[in-house]
mmCIF file of all heavy atoms in Angstrom:
data_model
loop_
_atom_site.group_PDB
_atom_site.id
_atom_site.type_symbol
_atom_site.label_atom_id
_atom_site.label_comp_id
_atom_site.label_asym_id
_atom_site.label_seq_id
_atom_site.Cartn_x
_atom_site.Cartn_y
_atom_site.Cartn_z
ATOM 1 N N ASP T 340 0.826 -1.201 0.050
ATOM 2 C CA ASP T 340 0.055 0.058 -0.004
ATOM 3 C C ASP T 340 0.812 1.314 0.020
ATOM 4 O O ASP T 340 0.263 2.387 -0.174
ATOM 5 C CB ASP T 340 -0.908 -0.005 1.181
ATOM 6 C CG ASP T 340 -2.078 -1.061 1.060
ATOM 7 O OD1 ASP T 340 -2.290 -1.592 0.032
ATOM 8 O OD2 ASP T 340 -2.431 -1.562 2.247
ATOM 9 N N VAL T 341 2.158 1.123 0.190
ATOM 10 C CA VAL T 341 2.975 2.321 0.223
ATOM 11 C C VAL T 341 3.674 2.470 -1.067
ATOM 12 O O VAL T 341 4.564 1.677 -1.495
ATOM 13 C CB VAL T 341 4.165 2.018 1.362
ATOM 14 C CG1 VAL T 341 5.093 3.262 1.444
ATOM 15 C CG2 VAL T 341 3.519 1.877 2.789
ATOM 16 N N VAL T 342 3.221 3.499 -1.814
ATOM 17 C CA VAL T 342 3.680 3.655 -3.156
ATOM 18 C C VAL T 342 4.793 4.648 -3.071
ATOM 19 O O VAL T 342 4.877 5.670 -2.379
ATOM 20 C CB VAL T 342 2.581 4.455 -4.025
ATOM 21 C CG1 VAL T 342 3.186 4.782 -5.450
ATOM 22 C CG2 VAL T 342 1.376 3.531 -4.187
ATOM 23 N N LEU T 343 5.972 4.152 -3.726
ATOM 24 C CA LEU T 343 7.189 4.879 -3.580
ATOM 25 C C LEU T 343 7.407 5.572 -4.907
ATOM 26 O O LEU T 343 8.223 6.683 -4.848
ATOM 27 C CB LEU T 343 8.375 3.826 -3.513
ATOM 28 C CG LEU T 343 8.417 2.947 -2.270
ATOM 29 C CD1 LEU T 343 9.551 2.007 -2.367
ATOM 30 C CD2 LEU T 343 8.473 3.807 -0.981
ATOM 31 N N GLY T 344 6.813 5.243 -5.897
ATOM 32 C CA GLY T 344 6.910 5.930 -7.242
ATOM 33 C C GLY T 344 6.308 5.130 -8.367
ATOM 34 O O GLY T 344 5.428 4.281 -8.173
ATOM 35 N N SER T 345 6.996 5.128 -9.542
ATOM 36 C CA SER T 345 6.519 4.517 -10.697
ATOM 37 C C SER T 345 7.761 4.107 -11.567
ATOM 38 O O SER T 345 8.788 4.896 -11.579
ATOM 39 C CB SER T 345 5.730 5.407 -11.517
ATOM 40 O OG SER T 345 5.281 4.860 -12.740
ATOM 41 N N VAL T 346 7.653 3.166 -12.255
ATOM 42 C CA VAL T 346 8.602 2.722 -13.335
ATOM 43 C C VAL T 346 7.827 2.157 -14.497
ATOM 44 O O VAL T 346 6.782 1.563 -14.320
ATOM 45 C CB VAL T 346 9.683 1.708 -12.872
ATOM 46 C CG1 VAL T 346 9.102 0.415 -12.448
ATOM 47 C CG2 VAL T 346 10.725 1.586 -13.873
ATOM 48 N N SER T 347 8.254 2.476 -15.740
ATOM 49 C CA SER T 347 7.406 2.029 -16.940
ATOM 50 C C SER T 347 8.296 1.820 -18.144
ATOM 51 O O SER T 347 9.446 2.235 -18.277
ATOM 52 C CB SER T 347 6.479 3.177 -17.203
ATOM 53 O OG SER T 347 7.154 4.405 -17.643
ATOM 54 N N LEU T 348 7.600 0.998 -18.998
ATOM 55 C CA LEU T 348 8.151 0.726 -20.290
ATOM 56 C C LEU T 348 7.127 1.518 -21.223
ATOM 57 O O LEU T 348 5.992 1.245 -21.065
ATOM 58 C CB LEU T 348 8.096 -0.707 -20.845
ATOM 59 C CG LEU T 348 9.195 -1.595 -20.067
ATOM 60 C CD1 LEU T 348 9.024 -3.025 -20.622
ATOM 61 C CD2 LEU T 348 10.637 -1.128 -20.508
ATOM 62 N N SER T 349 7.688 2.371 -22.035
ATOM 63 C CA SER T 349 6.709 3.111 -23.048
ATOM 64 C C SER T 349 7.355 2.914 -24.414
ATOM 65 O O SER T 349 8.484 2.433 -24.546
ATOM 66 C CB SER T 349 6.500 4.470 -22.721
ATOM 67 O OG SER T 349 7.697 5.179 -22.654
ATOM 68 N N GLU T 350 6.581 3.411 -25.395
ATOM 69 C CA GLU T 350 7.068 3.345 -26.793
ATOM 70 C C GLU T 350 7.571 1.929 -27.084
ATOM 71 O O GLU T 350 8.688 1.697 -27.795
ATOM 72 C CB GLU T 350 8.178 4.343 -27.045
ATOM 73 C CG GLU T 350 7.775 5.808 -26.783
ATOM 74 C CD GLU T 350 8.816 6.843 -26.829
ATOM 75 O OE1 GLU T 350 9.838 6.618 -27.659
ATOM 76 O OE2 GLU T 350 8.891 7.743 -26.131
ATOM 77 N N VAL T 351 6.818 0.943 -26.547
ATOM 78 C CA VAL T 351 7.203 -0.462 -26.750
ATOM 79 C C VAL T 351 7.042 -0.854 -28.272
ATOM 80 O O VAL T 351 5.953 -0.617 -28.748
ATOM 81 C CB VAL T 351 6.501 -1.416 -25.903
ATOM 82 C CG1 VAL T 351 6.875 -2.877 -26.105
ATOM 83 C CG2 VAL T 351 6.754 -1.033 -24.474
ATOM 84 N N ARG T 352 8.032 -1.271 -28.829
ATOM 85 C CA ARG T 352 7.950 -1.726 -30.277
ATOM 86 C C ARG T 352 8.703 -3.142 -30.299
ATOM 87 O O ARG T 352 9.921 -3.296 -30.523
ATOM 88 C CB ARG T 352 8.757 -0.783 -31.189
ATOM 89 C CG ARG T 352 8.119 0.632 -31.274
ATOM 90 C CD ARG T 352 8.765 1.576 -32.215
ATOM 91 N NE ARG T 352 10.144 1.847 -32.121
ATOM 92 C CZ ARG T 352 10.719 2.732 -31.156
ATOM 93 N NH1 ARG T 352 9.936 3.464 -30.469
ATOM 94 N NH2 ARG T 352 12.048 2.942 -31.150
ATOM 95 N N LEU T 353 7.921 -4.101 -30.095
ATOM 96 C CA LEU T 353 8.446 -5.461 -30.056
ATOM 97 C C LEU T 353 8.963 -5.919 -31.270
ATOM 98 O O LEU T 353 10.013 -6.671 -31.354
ATOM 99 C CB LEU T 353 7.276 -6.478 -29.492
ATOM 100 C CG LEU T 353 6.805 -6.294 -28.002
ATOM 101 C CD1 LEU T 353 5.753 -7.306 -27.783
ATOM 102 C CD2 LEU T 353 7.875 -6.382 -27.060
ATOM 103 N N ASP T 354 8.414 -5.493 -32.428
ATOM 104 C CA ASP T 354 8.873 -5.960 -33.616
ATOM 105 C C ASP T 354 10.422 -5.295 -33.969
ATOM 106 O O ASP T 354 11.014 -5.851 -34.814
ATOM 107 C CB ASP T 354 7.909 -5.399 -34.851
ATOM 108 C CG ASP T 354 7.749 -3.820 -34.832
ATOM 109 O OD1 ASP T 354 7.823 -3.297 -33.727
ATOM 110 O OD2 ASP T 354 7.466 -3.358 -35.806
ATOM 111 N N GLN T 355 10.638 -4.260 -33.284
ATOM 112 C CA GLN T 355 11.963 -3.673 -33.387
ATOM 113 C C GLN T 355 12.877 -3.980 -32.180
ATOM 114 O O GLN T 355 14.052 -3.519 -32.159
ATOM 115 C CB GLN T 355 11.839 -2.293 -33.538
ATOM 116 C CG GLN T 355 11.206 -1.789 -34.997
ATOM 117 C CD GLN T 355 11.109 -0.297 -35.155
ATOM 118 O OE1 GLN T 355 11.935 0.446 -34.656
ATOM 119 N NE2 GLN T 355 10.038 0.087 -35.894
ATOM 120 N N GLY T 356 12.341 -4.591 -31.214
ATOM 121 C CA GLY T 356 13.081 -4.918 -30.076
ATOM 122 C C GLY T 356 13.519 -3.879 -29.206
ATOM 123 O O GLY T 356 14.623 -3.981 -28.523
ATOM 124 N N CYS T 357 12.714 -2.753 -29.062
ATOM 125 C CA CYS T 357 13.208 -1.649 -28.230
ATOM 126 C C CYS T 357 11.943 -1.089 -27.510
ATOM 127 O O CYS T 357 10.672 -1.255 -27.815
ATOM 128 C CB CYS T 357 13.798 -0.527 -29.084
ATOM 129 S SG CYS T 357 12.825 0.053 -30.358
ATOM 130 N N ALA T 358 12.232 -0.407 -26.434
ATOM 131 C CA ALA T 358 11.283 0.374 -25.685
ATOM 132 C C ALA T 358 12.016 1.515 -24.924
ATOM 133 O O ALA T 358 13.278 1.511 -24.751
ATOM 134 C CB ALA T 358 10.574 -0.589 -24.673
ATOM 135 N N ALA T 359 11.210 2.360 -24.316
ATOM 136 C CA ALA T 359 11.759 3.430 -23.507
ATOM 137 C C ALA T 359 11.555 3.161 -22.003
ATOM 138 O O ALA T 359 10.366 2.609 -21.707
ATOM 139 C CB ALA T 359 11.292 4.741 -23.834
ATOM 140 N N VAL T 360 12.347 3.519 -21.116
ATOM 141 C CA VAL T 360 12.219 3.329 -19.635
ATOM 142 C C VAL T 360 11.849 4.804 -19.059
ATOM 143 O O VAL T 360 12.631 5.713 -19.441
ATOM 144 C CB VAL T 360 13.371 2.701 -19.024
ATOM 145 C CG1 VAL T 360 13.273 2.697 -17.516
ATOM 146 C CG2 VAL T 360 13.659 1.403 -19.527
ATOM 147 N N GLY T 361 10.995 4.753 -18.175
ATOM 148 C CA GLY T 361 10.742 6.041 -17.360
ATOM 149 C C GLY T 361 10.449 5.793 -15.896
ATOM 150 O O GLY T 361 10.139 4.539 -15.465
ATOM 151 N N TYR T 362 10.704 6.758 -15.124
ATOM 152 C CA TYR T 362 10.499 6.524 -13.621
ATOM 153 C C TYR T 362 10.300 7.889 -12.929
ATOM 154 O O TYR T 362 10.808 8.906 -13.390
ATOM 155 C CB TYR T 362 11.708 5.674 -12.984
ATOM 156 C CG TYR T 362 13.051 6.158 -13.462
ATOM 157 C CD1 TYR T 362 13.756 7.173 -12.771
ATOM 158 C CD2 TYR T 362 13.737 5.621 -14.531
ATOM 159 C CE1 TYR T 362 14.990 7.534 -13.200
ATOM 160 C CE2 TYR T 362 14.943 6.051 -14.980
ATOM 161 C CZ TYR T 362 15.569 6.996 -14.307
ATOM 162 O OH TYR T 362 16.740 7.432 -14.861
ATOM 163 N N TRP T 363 9.791 7.783 -11.768
ATOM 164 C CA TRP T 363 9.705 8.839 -10.864
ATOM 165 C C TRP T 363 9.615 8.358 -9.406
ATOM 166 O O TRP T 363 9.139 7.196 -9.160
ATOM 167 C CB TRP T 363 8.601 9.950 -11.150
ATOM 168 C CG TRP T 363 7.217 9.433 -11.136
ATOM 169 C CD1 TRP T 363 6.493 9.000 -12.284
ATOM 170 C CD2 TRP T 363 6.336 9.211 -10.092
ATOM 171 N NE1 TRP T 363 5.269 8.639 -11.939
ATOM 172 C CE2 TRP T 363 5.062 8.654 -10.538
ATOM 173 C CE3 TRP T 363 6.410 9.403 -8.670
ATOM 174 C CZ2 TRP T 363 4.008 8.357 -9.742
ATOM 175 C CZ3 TRP T 363 5.374 9.151 -7.847
ATOM 176 C CH2 TRP T 363 4.155 8.740 -8.391
ATOM 177 N N LEU T 364 10.017 9.127 -8.504
ATOM 178 C CA LEU T 364 9.893 8.787 -7.097
ATOM 179 C C LEU T 364 9.183 9.900 -6.180
ATOM 180 O O LEU T 364 9.497 11.049 -6.471
ATOM 181 C CB LEU T 364 11.307 8.660 -6.415
ATOM 182 C CG LEU T 364 12.046 7.371 -6.845
ATOM 183 C CD1 LEU T 364 13.417 7.351 -6.165
ATOM 184 C CD2 LEU T 364 11.396 6.064 -6.507
ATOM 185 N N ALA T 365 8.436 9.324 -5.235
ATOM 186 C CA ALA T 365 7.751 10.271 -4.300
ATOM 187 C C ALA T 365 8.989 10.860 -3.402
ATOM 188 O O ALA T 365 10.023 10.102 -3.272
ATOM 189 C CB ALA T 365 6.860 9.526 -3.479
ATOM 190 N N PRO T 366 8.853 11.985 -2.775
ATOM 191 C CA PRO T 366 9.895 12.524 -1.992
ATOM 192 C C PRO T 366 10.458 11.718 -0.918
ATOM 193 O O PRO T 366 11.713 11.598 -0.809
ATOM 194 C CB PRO T 366 9.276 13.766 -1.379
ATOM 195 C CG PRO T 366 8.165 14.078 -2.284
ATOM 196 C CD PRO T 366 7.666 12.796 -2.883
ATOM 197 N N GLU T 367 9.603 10.913 -0.265
ATOM 198 C CA GLU T 367 10.088 10.055 0.870
ATOM 199 C C GLU T 367 10.768 8.831 0.378
ATOM 200 O O GLU T 367 11.477 8.119 1.233
ATOM 201 C CB GLU T 367 8.890 9.714 1.810
ATOM 202 C CG GLU T 367 7.787 8.863 1.110
ATOM 203 C CD GLU T 367 6.762 9.665 0.365
ATOM 204 O OE1 GLU T 367 6.893 10.935 0.215
ATOM 205 O OE2 GLU T 367 5.865 9.131 -0.022
ATOM 206 N N ALA T 368 10.834 8.580 -0.876
ATOM 207 C CA ALA T 368 11.471 7.307 -1.364
ATOM 208 C C ALA T 368 12.906 7.730 -1.913
ATOM 209 O O ALA T 368 13.555 6.728 -2.396
ATOM 210 C CB ALA T 368 10.614 6.761 -2.483
#
C-alpha cells in the first residue's frame, strides 16, 4: 500500500526490439 513511485516501459516496439524506460519517485522514497 506504500507507493514509492513509478517505473514504466513506453514506446514499446516488440517488432523492433526496443522500448523506453521512465521513472519517478515520491519525495520520501
